Amino acid sequence: MTNSALDKPLTIAGREYRSRLLVGTGKYRDLEQTRQAIEASGAEIVTVAIRRSNIGQNPNEPNLLDVIPPSRYTILPNTAGCYTAEDALRTCRLARELLDGHRLVKLEVLGDPKTLYPDMQATFAAAGQLIKEGFEVMVYCMDDPIACKRLEELGCVAVMPLAAPIGSGLGIQNRYNILSIVENAKVPILVDAGVGTASDATIAMELGCDGVLMNTAIAEAKDPVLMASAMKKAIEAGREAYLAGRMPRRRYASASSPESGLPF
C-alpha cells in the first residue's frame, strides 16, 4: 500500500474533505465562468466575500449560491474588506443569518489597504469573540509561527498564513516560516494568499501544508478553467511528494548506478 493510499482526508471542524484546494469566487468574468472554474478545481470548500457577493441579501440580483449550491459545496463566508474587529464580527453574524445558522467562517481583519496585511491584534480580538459566540473560525494571518500558535490556542479550527500579499502572485516568500508553522501545529495549516501559479501550490504542499486557498491565481489567468485544473493537479502532486519524502539535498554528485563490480 502506498503512502498516498494511506493519506487521511483533510478534516476541518470535524468534517472531512477529499480536496485540499480551497477556492474563492471573486474577479471572474461572470457566474458561469465562476461555476466552470470551481468545478474544474475539484474544490469542496468555496469561500465567499460576504461584503462583495450576493448570497441572497439582494433578491433582485443574481445569487452566487445558484452556481455553488450549499448542497454540493461547503460555503466559507469570509470577512474580506474588513479593517476592524467590529466590522469582521458584524459580517460573520450577517453570514450566519443569511446561511441559516452557518458556523464555519474565514476571518480576515486587514490592517493596510496597500499590502492587505492582516492587523494581528484585531485578528486575535475578533477570533476570540467569534469562538465565544460559537463560530468555527478559519483565520487569515501573517506567516509568523508565534502568531499562528496563539490563534490555534485560542481555538481556531484552521490557521491560514499568507504566502505573500493577497493577489500578488509572488509565491511563498518565507518557506522556513511556513515549515515551522506546520511542524508546530495541531490544527490544519492552509496557505492563504500569494500563490501565483501551479508550482507555488505544489511547494506549499511539499512543505506539509494541509491545503491551499486561492482566488486571483485562477480568476486572473488567461484561461481560468484550465488554470483551475492545473491547480488541482499541483495540489495533488505536492501532497504525494510530501508523503513520499524528498531525497536529501547533497553538496556533491551521487552516481545513479552502482560503482562497484565494474569490469574496468
Side-chain angles (χ1 to χ4, degrees):
M1 185 176 290
T2 66
N3 276 340
S4 177
L6 291 170
D7 196 11
K8 298 178 180 177
L10 171 62
T11 302
I12 298 176
R15 292 179 286 276
E16 295 185 350
Y17 301 93
R18 292 164 296 170
S19 173
R20 294 176 180 273
L21 173 58
L22 292 70
V23 296
T25 53
K27 301 183 177 180
Y28 288 99
R29 183 183 63 219
D30 52 35
L31 289 183
E32 177 57 18
Q33 188 181 67
T34 307
R35 184 193 66 77
Q36 291 179 9
I38 291 172
E39 189 166 319
S41 76
E44 297 168 285
I45 302 176
V46 181
T47 189
V48 175
I50 293 299
R51 290 159 62 100
R52 299 168 179 158
S53 305
N54 180 34
I55 60 169
Q57 59 269 52
N58 301 312
N60 298 321
E61 297 179 7
N63 189 329
L64 181 61
L65 299 186
D66 289 340
V67 297
I68 51 165
S71 58
R72 179 174 177 184
Y73 298 100
T74 293
I75 305 301
L76 179 62
N78 69 62
T79 61
C82 292
Y83 284 85
T84 67
E86 291 73 22
D87 282 349
L89 293 172
R90 192 177 305 114
T91 302
C92 288
R93 291 165 186 153
L94 174 61
R96 182 165 58 184
E97 183 178 330
L98 290 170
L99 294 169
D100 299 325
H102 189 85
R103 297 170 59 201
L104 186 68
V105 295
K106 181 194 163 194
L107 172 65
E108 299 180 24
V109 186
L110 304 176
D112 172 50
K114 183 175 182 180
T115 63
L116 298 181
Y117 280 149
D119 178 335
M120 291 308 302
Q121 292 305 315
T123 298
F124 291 137
Q129 183 59 36
L130 287 170
I131 291 165
K132 285 180 183 175
E133 295 182 18
F135 285 94
E136 297 164 330
V137 180
M138 301 173 67
V139 57
Y140 165 68
C141 60
M142 293 297 296
D143 57 345
D144 175 349
I146 305 303
C148 288
K149 195 63 182 175
R150 184 176 172 191
L151 289 165
E152 176 186 319
E153 291 169 350
L154 275 173
C156 294
V157 298
V159 177
M160 309 173 76
L162 56 81
I166 292 172
S168 68
L170 291 172
I172 296 178
Q173 294 300 293
N174 196 330
R175 299 184 188 188
Y176 293 103
N177 273 23
I178 296 294
L179 190 59
S180 294
I181 292 165
V182 168
E183 287 177 344
N184 292 314
K186 295 179 181 176
V187 297
I189 301 296
L190 300 95
V191 157
D192 180 12
V195 167
T197 191
S199 55
D200 298 332
T202 300
I203 290 169
M205 297 306 296
E206 288 178 349
L207 290 172
C209 292
D210 296 281
V212 178
L213 190 152
M214 65 182 75
N215 186 170
T216 307
I218 295 174
E220 289 194 354
K222 291 181 180 177
D223 186 334
V225 178
L226 187 58
M227 183 60 84
S229 174
M231 290 298 188
K232 175 184 177 183
K233 295 164 187 165
I235 293 286
E236 293 171 351
R239 181 65 179 178
E240 289 195 355
Y242 169 72
L243 293 172
R246 192 193 192 287
M247 64 162 282
R249 289 183 170 85
R250 302 186 180 96
R251 184 176 177 188
Y252 296 108
S254 174
S256 301
S257 53
E259 294 180 319
S260 59
L262 299 177
F264 56 86

